[in-house]
Amino acid sequence: MAKRALITGVTGQDGAYLAKFLLEKGYEIYGTYKNYPPNLWRLSELGIADKVNLRELDLQTERNCTKLLQEVRPEEVYNLAAQSYISVSFEQPVATGEITGLGVARLLEAVRNVNPDIRFFQASSNEMFGKVREVPQSEDTPFHPRSPYAIAKLYGHWITINYREVYDIFTCSGILFNHESPLRGLEFVTRKITYSAAKIKEGLQEKLLLGNLNVRMDWGYAPEYVEAMWLMLNNPQADDYVIATGKAYSVREFVERAFGTLDIEIVWEGKGEEERGIDRRTGRVVVEIDPRLFRPADINLLIGDASKAHRELGWAPKTSLEKLVEIMVKEDLRRIRSGNRFNGP
Ligand code: NAP
């Protein structure tokens, strides 16, 4: 019989890629969304919208989780649902704590009550390292979260470990460093850059507004990160793993590569908030700084050390940043040229 998996947050970037990955492995997939009607653009782009059994779930309500597990009876649960926007978490710290933090406990309680043999994956975040204590960060690096989002994720991380230690449930926490793709939401800086660059190329947008250009991030390719989730749940031993590329690039470099893919060379002029990115060929300003986009408390250099995942799961990143940017820009250009059908909200 086919294995059955439940993916919370299946309408998000990772949920869509994980659903596709597991379907290809022969799983039967149940996936949850929060907002009705479900936003299916990602599942549609991957051609699997009609292959996922969709259910509504709000992680703010405990009863929902129990009822869902009783109905679906999954062997594996992947908890990808979250209020995942850092900026929103500063505006809505309580709701973020409820969904991204306590939501994990609600699901784990449901697992314990309905079937403690369920294997459980929690999507933890590099943001938990925040004001970093060492570079690169591994599973042993102390945490210092710098946003309500990261603090909620830290609760989710420790409650996942706690259910493993106290109840002997097979739970794994993946400390995921940033991972991007053409399915990333437009609110995230990488996709904002690739989408804007493609629109500027097509003459549909004038400028791209960004915050701190010098922030460096460890950016991987999302489809590879969902494979790591599955590897964790299908390993003989439950444990926690950093999933990362081990390389960091600045937002500035990301911008240069994105425009470069479109044959636009950027030259930088000015300093600080006055800095501007100029299209060398036309002399037009295409990138400007918007101080409102700076974070209230910036994070330090987040670079992950995924050697434990390499050693114990055989996982390693394959896609270079150059290739990732190219994949994202080309896909955005294609969408725009074909009438922007699946750009999502
Ligand atoms: P995403 O695109 O923001 O998707 C979030 C999902 O959570 C959506 O399906 C959303 O449903 C659902 N959701 C929101 N509020 C909910 C609630 N109250 N109850 C139940 N579901 C709710 O996230 P992603 O980029 O795929 O990331 C997947 C997970 O990995 C998240 O937990 C994220 O925090 C974590 N993570 C991601 C990264 C990264 O770089 N992508 C890095 C570290 C950790 P609707 O579509 O209905 O709103």
Side-chain angles (χ1 to χ4, degrees):
M1 244 188 35
K3 258 190 173 177
R4 194 177 287 186
L6 173 69
I7 302 170
T8 69
V10 80
T11 45
Q13 168 189 262
D14 291 6
Y17 281 121
L18 180 62
K20 180 156 191 270
F21 176 84
L22 294 177
L23 281 166
E24 283 165 2
K25 291 224 166 279
Y27 278 69
E28 191 182 347
I29 301 299
Y30 284 75
T32 75
Y33 59 90
K34 158 68 173 48
N35 290 308
Y36 187 83
N39 189 348
L40 299 179
W41 74 274
R42 295 183 173 96
L43 296 172
S44 300
E45 278 220 351
L46 297 180
I48 55 169
D50 57 346
K51 298 190 177 73
V52 174
N53 299 289
L54 288 166
R55 295 290 183 274
E56 201 172 334
L57 174 72
D58 185 352
L59 278 180
Q60 300 201 62
T61 330
E62 196 149 333
R63 232 182 105 246
N64 287 348
C65 298
T66 305
K67 265 178 65 182
L68 186 66
L69 290 192
Q70 280 167 339
E71 182 214 336
V72 174
R73 302 247 152 219
E75 277 117 323
E76 294 172 10
V77 172
Y78 295 84
N79 182 34
L80 310 187
Q83 189 305 93
S84 70
Y85 305 111
I86 293 162
S87 55
V88 173
S89 81
F90 283 100
E91 289 153 23
Q92 301 175 17
V94 177
T96 302
E98 277 282 346
I99 301 160
T100 307
L102 288 178
V104 187
R106 293 191 177 103
L107 258 179
L108 282 165
E109 265 301 272
V111 166
R112 185 169 79 86
N113 290 323
V114 175
N115 175 11
D117 288 334
I118 289 172
R119 294 190 168 204
F120 181 89
F121 172 83
Q122 166 61 13
S124 291
S125 167
N126 58 340
E127 292 283 334
M128 301 187 307
F129 295 118
K131 191 175 176 189
V132 302
R133 306 284 178 87
E134 61 182 4
V135 179
Q137 296 88 46
S138 73
E139 295 79 5
D140 299 323
T141 304
F143 299 111
H144 187 142
R146 297 270 273 173
S147 65
Y149 165 78
I151 293 162
K153 278 287 178 192
L154 196 50
Y155 176 86
H157 176 71
W158 280 116
I159 197 79
T160 298
I161 293 170
N162 193 245
Y163 271 62
R164 183 168 73 228
E165 291 178 350
V166 176
Y167 302 114
D168 202 21
I169 296 175
F170 195 105
T171 67
C172 301
S173 172
I175 305 174
L176 311 171
F177 279 62
N178 290 49
H179 44 283
E180 317 297 314
S181 76
L183 299 188
R184 192 67 148 142
L186 282 171
E187 304 80 357
F188 293 91
V189 69
T190 52
R191 179 82 201 295
K192 179 178 175 181
I193 294 169
T194 60
Y195 185 60
S196 299
K199 280 183 93 175
I200 289 168
K201 172 77 177 176
E202 292 299 284
L204 297 169
Q205 185 175 321
E206 227 176 283
K207 280 176 203 159
L208 162 63
L209 297 180
L210 291 170
N212 188 350
L213 292 173
N214 298 319
V215 170
R216 291 173 68 207
M217 304 294 276
D218 179 331
W219 279 303
Y221 185 37
E224 295 167 7
Y225 285 52
V226 303
E227 181 175 5
M229 299 172 187
W230 175 80
L231 285 168
M232 281 179 223
L233 289 201
N234 287 277
N235 206 37
Q237 205 63 36
D239 209 341
D240 312 310
Y241 295 91
V242 162
I243 302 297
T245 70
K247 296 191 181 118
Y249 295 88
S250 65
V251 172
R252 183 189 304 280
E253 286 169 285
F254 198 103
V255 169
E256 288 168 359
R257 284 171 197 269
F259 280 96
T261 304
L262 298 163
D263 293 324
I264 299 172
E265 190 190 342
I266 300 289
V267 286
W268 301 99
E269 273 183 14
K271 285 223 172 324
E273 292 176 11
E274 302 304 318
E275 191 168 6
R276 300 176 312 165
I278 294 167
D279 177 344
R280 182 192 284 279
R281 196 176 54 79
T282 63
R284 272 182 45 212
V285 175
V286 288
V287 184
E288 267 180 5
I289 306 299
D290 181 349
R292 286 171 304 179
L293 298 173
F294 282 76
R295 280 201 201 187
D298 233 328
I299 45 168
N300 304 122
L301 185 52
L302 292 175
I303 302 185
D305 171 2
S307 50
K308 180 177 168 189
H310 188 51
R311 225 175 26 250
E312 296 184 11
L313 305 174
W315 182 88
K318 298 185 194 82
T319 306
S320 67
L321 183 87
E322 202 170 13
K323 186 71 195 161
L324 170 64
V325 175
E326 188 190 317
I327 293 169
M328 291 177 70
V329 170
K330 287 193 168 161
E331 186 56 19
D332 273 330
L333 194 63
R334 186 197 63 75
R335 286 170 175 143
I336 289 164
R337 288 185 173 164
S338 68
N340 213 5
R341 265 191 318 140
F342 286 125
N343 176 45

